[in-house]
């Protein structure tokens, strides 16, 4: 793929029992383009040490303080120091590590939402511009091949003007007060001091919002929201629905809930134009339904030769060999790695390599959170989403 050498990465967060840390590591290693060479995987000394041992880090490059790691790793020779800092911490610990990493000359990968607040996201954009580095925001679902096929077909005008969009993200894991049972994942996600001002809308609603804008190529311009806290005693929203208006006049609906008992993680998006539409869901992520008004439904499948070239770039196996969440995650990292390597070596990245979410998508996500909370708690009907 043209890499000059294998890249090096240091991770902040993601120690033992951290779900998303292990997912990031699988994605990072999947293509053999990058090694994890250092980590501040936990602020707890014992957990940091054991977590470092789990992934075979040198004890000398296993830290309990992320700033100590960034400072020491940045002073290493160019042949040893990391190229990238990956941040896989709870939301309130995104901004400061990302800012420090950029200021010390590292590229940054960061889990969503990008920061704790919109103000932090805007400051991070300024720091990114000054640094000249790249930033990856891991909105995983944009990495699926059939999501990219849908995006390119809409961009090519296959379905004419887009008129209606539905996106739904149902989960059921928080249908009871799980945070009171010492569940780590539930505890921080329902704590406004760690998660931010939104619960379900920040955790999964931002994924749905990003997916809508990515696939449709449109921007949400106005929103009307109803957000709810269903489980007694919970401090943040766990359910909600949003009416959307887009910059081309199309309308849509976004639903995000974590209290739909029995539901797993079946994110689904449907987009309809004048001439036809698409229907995709994560439960059958290797299929894309193409809907026509005057002929039978077509089903496109991952790995088939009739797909767009950019889709095949993000496909790893022949047709009939299922790809899923981990591969989609790895697609984002691979495109990021290829872009970082090209730029660091004075080359122009190929257009398909630049297909990963970054700072602008992060800021849009933070503004979505701001507005959905404002609209959900307001007696006014419609609110305008700033660019």
């Amino acid at each position: 793929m043209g890499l000059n050498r294998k890249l090096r990465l240091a991770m902040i967060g993601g120690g033992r029992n951290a779900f998303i840390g292990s997912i990031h590591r699988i994605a990072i290693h999947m293509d053999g383009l990058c090694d994890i060479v250092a980590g501040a995987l936990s602020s707890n000394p014992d957990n940091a040490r054991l977590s470092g041992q789990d992934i075979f880090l040198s004890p000398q490059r296993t830290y309990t303080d992320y700033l100590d790691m960034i400072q020491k790793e940045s002073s290493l020779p160019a042949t040893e120091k990391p190229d990238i800092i990956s941040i896989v911490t709870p939301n309130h610990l995104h901004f400061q590590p990302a800012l420090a990493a950029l200021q010390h000359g590292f590229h940054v990968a960061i889990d969503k939402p990008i920061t704790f607040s919109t103000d932090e996201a805007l400051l991070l954009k300024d720091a990114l511009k000054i640094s000249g580095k790249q930033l990856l925001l891991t909105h995983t679902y944009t990495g699926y091949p059939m999501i990219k096929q849908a995006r390119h077909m809409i961009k090519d005008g296959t379905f004419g003007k887009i008129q209606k969009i539905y996106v739904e993200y149902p989960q059921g894991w928080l249908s009871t007060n799980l945070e009171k049972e010492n569940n780590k994942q539930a505890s921080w996600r329902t704590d406004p001091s760690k998660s931010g001002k939104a619960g379900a809308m920040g955790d999964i609603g931002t994924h749905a919002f990003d997916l809508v804008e990515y696939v449709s190529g449109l921007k949400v311009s106005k929103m009307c929201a109803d957000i709810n806290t269903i489980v007694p005693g919970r401090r943040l929203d766990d359910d909600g629905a949003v009416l959307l208006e887009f910059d081309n006049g199309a309308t849509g609906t976004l639903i995000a809930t974590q209290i739909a008992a029995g539901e797993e993680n079946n994110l689904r998006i449907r987009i309809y134009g004048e001439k036809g539409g698409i229907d995709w869901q994560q439960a059958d992520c290797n299929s894309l339904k193409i809907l026509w008004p005057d002929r039978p439904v077509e089903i496109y499948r991952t790995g088939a030769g009739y797909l767009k070239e950019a889709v095949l770039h993000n496909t790893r196996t022949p047709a009939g060999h299922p790809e899923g969440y981990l591969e989609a995650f790895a697609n984002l990292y691979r495109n990021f790695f290829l872009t970082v390597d090209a730029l660091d070596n004075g080359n122009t990245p190929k257009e398909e390599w630049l297909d990963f979410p970054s700072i602008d998508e992060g800021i849009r996500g933070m503004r979505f959170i701001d507005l959905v909370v404002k609209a959900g708690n307001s007696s006014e009907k419609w609110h305008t989403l700033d660019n």
Side-chain angles (χ1 to χ4, degrees):
M1 295 183 187
L3 257 71
N4 182 58
R5 60 169 173 80
K6 184 176 280 194
L7 299 177
R8 296 179 291 271
L9 179 145
M11 180 169 283
I12 299 174
R16 282 190 172 186
N17 302 317
F19 151 71
I20 203 64
S22 62
I23 299 299
H24 276 262
R25 287 190 288 273
I26 292 170
I28 288 163
H29 287 134
M30 188 172 289
D31 294 290
L33 304 179
C34 185
D35 286 332
I36 300 175
V37 297
L41 304 176
S42 174
S43 59
N44 178 283
D46 288 337
N47 192 30
R49 176 179 55 82
L50 292 171
S51 299
Q53 290 177 0
D54 288 344
I55 60 173
F56 304 101
L57 292 183
S58 164
Q60 289 71 39
R61 302 183 78 174
T62 300
Y63 304 84
T64 57
D65 181 274
Y66 72 81
L67 189 56
D68 183 39
M69 183 189 77
I70 288 172
Q71 291 172 341
K72 289 181 178 177
E73 293 291 320
S74 67
S75 67
L76 293 175
T79 54
E80 298 179 26
K81 71 179 181 181
D83 304 282
I84 299 160
I85 303 291
S86 179
I87 300 164
V88 296
T89 53
N91 303 350
H92 70 299
L93 295 174
H94 285 184
F95 172 67
Q96 291 294 345
L99 180 64
L102 291 172
Q103 291 174 338
H104 283 79
F106 296 107
H107 301 280
V108 169
I110 190 167
D111 211 25
K112 64 83 226 161
I114 194 163
T115 51
F116 192 72
S117 69
T118 301
D119 287 343
E120 286 182 349
L122 293 171
L123 290 172
L124 197 62
K125 182 174 183 176
D126 291 339
L128 181 64
K129 183 177 181 180
I130 292 169
S131 74
K133 298 298 179 179
Q134 290 289 306
L135 183 145
L136 164 66
L137 178 65
T138 53
H139 272 301
T140 318
Y141 307 105
T142 62
Y144 278 106
M146 303 318 292
I147 283 293
K148 295 183 182 298
Q149 178 68 23
R151 170 182 166 87
H152 280 277
M153 293 180 76
I154 289 171
K155 184 178 180 180
D156 290 347
T158 302
F159 308 113
K161 180 184 177 182
I162 300 305
Q163 300 182 142
K164 196 71 181 180
I165 299 176
Y166 298 96
V167 63
E168 57 186 72
Y169 201 152
Q171 293 180 343
W173 74 290
L174 286 176
S175 61
T176 61
N177 209 321
L178 201 60
E179 59 267 36
K180 301 299 183 183
E181 301 175 14
N182 296 318
N183 182 293
K184 182 179 179 180
Q185 296 299 321
S187 294
W188 79 257
R189 281 179 166 83
T190 58
D191 182 349
S193 71
K194 294 180 173 64
S195 182
K197 65 175 65 176
M201 281 297 171
D203 191 24
I204 61 175
T206 49
H207 273 309
F209 173 80
D210 180 75
L211 191 67
V212 161
E213 293 201 334
Y214 178 79
V215 178
S216 72
L218 303 175
K219 298 292 185 185
V220 174
S221 56
K222 295 174 68 177
M223 296 181 353
C224 173
D226 177 41
I227 57 173
N228 310 291
T229 302
I230 302 299
V231 175
R234 185 161 287 160
R235 292 184 287 170
L236 290 171
D237 62 281
D238 50 22
D239 171 76
V242 188
L243 298 178
L244 305 172
E245 186 175 303
F246 295 87
D247 53 3
N248 76 331
T251 60
T253 303
L254 182 155
I255 297 172
T257 184
Q258 293 176 313
I259 51 85
E263 287 287 351
E264 294 179 337
N265 210 64
N266 192 21
L267 175 62
R268 183 183 183 188
I269 184 168
R270 290 170 288 163
I271 300 180
Y272 303 94
E274 298 169 305
K275 303 175 184 178
I278 63 96
D279 183 354
W280 178 89
Q281 55 184 322
Q282 186 173 229
D284 185 17
C285 61
N286 293 166
S287 298
L288 175 67
K289 288 184 180 180
I290 308 298
L291 311 173
W292 305 109
D294 55 356
R295 59 185 188 270
V297 172
E298 297 176 356
I299 298 179
Y300 283 31
R301 293 282 291 166
T302 300
Y306 50 73
L307 301 175
K308 301 287 185 179
E309 182 177 348
V311 178
L312 296 175
H313 165 72
N314 290 279
T315 303
R316 298 160 182 280
T317 60
H321 296 74
E323 299 185 23
Y325 177 75
L326 296 173
E327 289 85 357
F329 218 116
N331 284 339
L332 301 186
Y333 265 111
R334 182 177 61 178
N335 288 341
F336 180 59
F337 292 156
L338 293 170
T339 298
V340 163
D341 182 78
L343 292 173
D344 282 355
N345 288 288
N347 299 318
T348 302
K350 294 182 179 180
E351 184 177 355
E352 60 266 29
W353 297 355
L354 294 166
D355 185 13
F356 57 84
S358 189
I359 188 69
D360 289 336
E361 289 84 355
I363 291 171
R364 291 287 294 173
M366 295 311 302
R367 286 181 166 151
F368 166 77
I369 290 172
D370 287 345
L371 197 59
V372 79
V373 171
K374 178 182 177 181
N377 293 317
S378 172
S379 59
E380 297 180 29
K381 185 177 180 184
W382 285 93
H383 296 260
T384 301
L385 183 65
D386 295 330
N387 290 321

